[in-house]
Amino acid sequence: MNTPATGPQPIGRRGAIKALAGALSTGMLAACNGMGRPLSDAEKLSLNQSVEGKVYWLGDEAYEVARGSTCYRANKPKRYPQVIVQPLSDKDVVAAVKFAKAHGLKVTTRSGGHSWSASHIRDHCVLIDMARMQEISIDPATQTLWVNPGMIGSVINRHLEPHGLVVPTAHHPSPGIGGFCLNGGFGWNSRLWGNGARHVLAVDVVNADGELIRADATQNSDFWWAARGGGAGFFGVIVRMHLQARPRPKYWKATVYSFDNAAAVFDDVMTWACNIVPHVPPYLELVMSTTANKRETGEPCPARISIAALAITDDEAQADAALALLDSVPHREKANFKVEKVPTTLEERYQSGFKADPAGMRFAADNMYTDAPTEVLVPRLRKVFLELPTPHTHTFWFAWGPCKPFPKDMALSMQGPIFLGTYTLWEDEAQDTMMAAWPPMQMKALSDLSLGGQLNDENMLHHPQRYYTDEAWAKYEALRQKHDPQGRFEGFLGKPMPL
Ligand SMILES: Cc1cc2nc3c(=O)[nH]c(=O)nc-3n(C[C@H](O)[C@H](O)[C@H](O)COP(=O)(O)OP(=O)(O)OC[C@H]3O[C@@H](n4cnc5c(N)ncnc54)[C@H](O)[C@@H]3O)c2cc1C
């Protein structure tokens, strides 16, 4: 399977040289403290010597490779941390945060580096890249596991398979479990089991003073609450997570209908989908997506639309009954590709996710939840679904509802019955500005229909919108002030609430 490597991802020699030239042209080659004074060799040495893992200073030869490898997307942001630390232990993380504190620098953290906005790559900070800490310990008796946040979802589920267990992870193999759960997390069977955030039983965190603490429902519970869906505003570095796993369901069965001429069937199919949301059982994932490349060859083509449903359950009859919901898909007899009620596996699903968002591409994303009435929504969606700017761009509709209220013991608070996400994929650097602008432009055009956004696919830098309820946001702001009064942790890249 084409799963990318777990550790830092190489950006290639040419990419590194090019990006370093960018840094050089900005005259940012000397690492500085928080006041802009260049750090002395002795000051740098103090960090190098207190960290067992790797340290890359701005200006070091290997810096740009280390910076680029923290980020899945090929369009690396032009933002430059003062230093990148790749810890091997909790002690290294403590040392990095204490160094930041002593020198007035801010801290960001990277787990798997799949944030679409690359929110961990910021100017003038200490970037803690958790990629080298890769421990997992499973307790089959309690169906729980301890894991470092830089471990990627598909690898965790491979470790869990012999125990008959699974955790909800991203539908793509390589997002880190850390960012996935911290930002909410739509994962396998999340409509039934809840988001990734809900599976976080405890976290070990290095706080703003550089102390290692454990947080769960009974101790340091502010940190636990925020780790469950708080996103990039989290006021600490999560070094370890205790997760609830689930017994792995026996049946993974799928139905897919794909139409080559999306424009011809769009109104009927989208109307059907929006109207069926209240009837989608919790163990069924129902997705519609458009893309503009041929299924078999990947060659460019006019937008085609797929309706895909995945039933995940222990009861085969229940899976088949759920998939029978798709018997009423309009025009399904004319589908150019169809599979009905076929068994599939988690590995196959990960591969399919990888095919949609392959490594090495340039990416931008944005999203929203909506509860707009079908007749209002469908005509407004034509542009974002049908006028895709590149062959691999895809727009995605997901039936999240009927929504159950989120419990109050987590920061994750934003949801809506229909999730919409749009993702531009391109290869040519010359298209960067145009392609990066496309997703927020589409979502802003629909903002009168939006309830707010999902943090995992956020683009709040270019499209501020609501990511929390008022109640959760007020609590979060107060906790950030209480636990990180000096703003040691960089926080959101953009505005997580409407302007
Ligand atoms: C190809 C692709 C497919 C995806 N598919 C899905 C999907 O199916 N479902 C879904 O819900 N999401 C999906 N996502 C979104 C993804 O889950 C989020 O971007 C998530 O944040 C990625 O986790 P990460 O650890 O790789 O991210 P990172 O980029 O490492 O982290 C994201 C942010 O979280 C914070 N953070 C991360 N780790 C820590 C830590 N240890 N301590 C403190 N703060 C931390 C930082 O602010 C960081 O900028 C996908 C993303 C991509 C690129």
Side-chain angles (χ1 to χ4, degrees):
M1 153 172 196
N2 286 326
T3 309
T6 308
Q9 294 141 14
I11 60 166
R13 205 177 146 79
R14 272 180 59 199
I17 291 169
K18 239 170 143 182
L20 189 60
L24 271 167
S25 70
T26 63
M28 292 196 311
L29 269 184
C32 294
N33 71 4
M35 308 299 288
R37 172 182 66 72
L39 289 161
S40 68
D41 287 347
E43 285 170 321
K44 290 194 209 168
L45 199 63
S46 72
L47 179 62
N48 295 354
Q49 287 182 336
S50 55
V51 168
E52 216 191 322
K54 302 262 185 200
V55 179
Y56 301 93
W57 294 96
L58 184 67
D60 284 357
E61 206 181 330
Y63 170 90
E64 190 48 28
V65 173
R67 191 187 76 97
S69 74
T70 67
C71 178
Y72 183 67
R73 50 180 241 205
N75 46 329
K76 313 294 175 190
K78 293 187 173 62
R79 300 187 292 262
Y80 297 89
Q82 298 293 344
V83 62
I84 300 163
V85 179
Q86 295 174 352
L88 286 179
S89 64
D90 299 355
K91 196 175 121 298
D92 285 0
V93 177
V94 166
V97 174
K98 286 193 167 161
F99 179 88
K101 187 178 176 193
H103 295 87
L105 290 164
K106 288 186 182 276
V107 174
T108 64
T109 310
R110 178 260 192 194
S111 285
H114 280 57
S115 150
W116 301 99
S117 63
S119 53
H120 56 284
I121 302 187
R122 308 289 271 275
D123 287 327
H124 313 306
C125 66
V126 175
L127 165 54
I128 301 178
D129 177 357
M130 300 298 291
R132 288 181 191 270
M133 290 173 66
Q134 294 286 329
E135 280 178 14
I136 180 166
S137 138
I138 299 166
D139 179 0
T142 57
Q143 301 185 339
T144 60
L145 59 148
W146 280 98
V147 65
N148 291 129
M151 191 170 263
I152 66 178
S154 58
V155 170
I156 295 173
N157 274 330
R158 273 175 223 144
H159 281 281
L160 288 172
E161 188 173 12
H163 304 284
L165 298 173
V166 65
V167 282
T169 68
H171 296 81
H172 186 278
S174 57
I177 196 71
F180 174 77
C181 291
L182 178 62
N183 286 275
F186 274 158
W188 305 112
N189 237 359
S190 275
R191 297 182 67 249
L192 179 66
W193 294 335
N195 299 66
R198 206 156 168 181
H199 293 73
V200 178
L201 302 173
V203 280
D204 286 347
V205 175
V206 176
N207 69 14
D209 288 325
E211 297 158 344
L212 179 64
I213 57 171
R214 175 150 300 175
D216 58 27
T218 60
Q219 56 187 327
N220 298 309
S221 54
D222 292 348
F223 287 83
W224 178 66
W225 180 86
R228 292 163 41 108
F234 187 69
F235 36 85
V237 180
I238 299 168
V239 294
R240 197 168 294 97
M241 313 168 80
H242 193 207
L243 300 179
Q244 181 66 59
R246 302 281 181 167
R248 191 174 282 230
K250 274 200 209 122
Y251 296 99
W252 298 61
K253 293 189 83 172
T255 289
V256 180
Y257 298 112
S258 188
F259 298 89
D260 287 351
N261 187 348
V265 297
F266 182 81
D267 288 355
D268 292 345
V269 168
M270 187 56 90
T271 299
W272 170 86
C274 293
N275 287 338
I276 213 150
V277 172
H279 310 289
V280 180
Y283 41 84
L284 189 73
E285 297 187 356
L286 179 64
V287 168
M288 301 226 304
S289 60
T290 51
T291 190
N293 64 83
K294 288 188 185 157
R295 169 179 283 278
E296 303 77 17
T297 61
E299 286 167 56
C301 64
R304 63 179 170 84
I305 189 164
S306 298
I307 300 119
L310 175 67
I312 307 174
T313 164
D314 275 330
D315 178 342
E316 189 167 17
Q318 191 180 52
D320 289 344
L323 292 169
L325 209 64
L326 277 79
D327 290 349
S328 55
V329 168
H331 311 296
R332 74 187 172 111
E333 68 290 347
K334 288 187 254 163
N336 301 91
F337 172 86
K338 76 167 107 162
V339 292
E340 291 171 324
K341 299 176 185 162
V342 291
T344 182
T345 62
L346 181 54
E347 282 298 333
E348 281 174 2
R349 294 303 90 219
Y350 278 134
Q351 281 187 44
S352 158
F354 187 78
K355 203 171 158 202
D357 291 311
M361 296 295 285
R362 308 175 92 80
F363 288 102
D366 201 357
N367 80 93
M368 63 183 250
Y369 286 110
T370 184
D371 62 354
T374 303
E375 62 282 8
V376 175
L377 186 61
V378 173
R380 298 280 301 277
L381 294 183
R382 287 186 68 89
K383 184 171 166 58
V384 66
F385 276 87
L386 298 176
E387 296 178 26
L388 306 172
T390 68
H392 288 275
T393 293
H394 47 95
T395 298
F396 184 78
W397 173 106
F398 182 74
W400 177 247
C403 302
K404 284 174 274 171
F406 283 139
K408 295 271 191 274
D409 58 8
M410 55 183 193
L412 180 68
S413 53
M414 190 63 238
Q415 61 174 336
I418 291 173
F419 171 79
L420 300 168
T422 189
Y423 312 84
T424 35
L425 276 73
W426 70 103
E427 287 172 286
D428 182 357
E429 188 180 347
Q431 292 184 298
D432 277 3
T433 306
M434 201 168 57
M435 290 306 146
W438 199 82
M441 201 190 299
Q442 305 315 314
M443 290 294 123
K444 280 184 197 168
L446 297 169
S447 59
D448 56 314
L449 307 180
S450 170
L451 295 167
Q454 193 235 161
L455 280 169
N456 268 5
D457 291 356
E458 60 84 11
N459 191 342
M460 59 182 80
L461 182 62
H462 299 111
H463 177 202
Q465 62 171 334
R466 169 183 291 280
Y467 285 95
Y468 303 90
T469 59
D470 287 339
E471 187 188 352
W473 178 242
K475 176 170 175 174
Y476 200 16
E477 279 204 303
L479 293 183
R480 293 179 71 210
Q481 185 56 35
K482 176 177 165 194
H483 294 291
D484 185 17
Q486 293 177 324
R488 181 68 47 226
F489 297 100
E490 187 74 69
F492 300 102
L493 178 63
K495 299 275 178 234
M497 288 296 270
L499 291 174

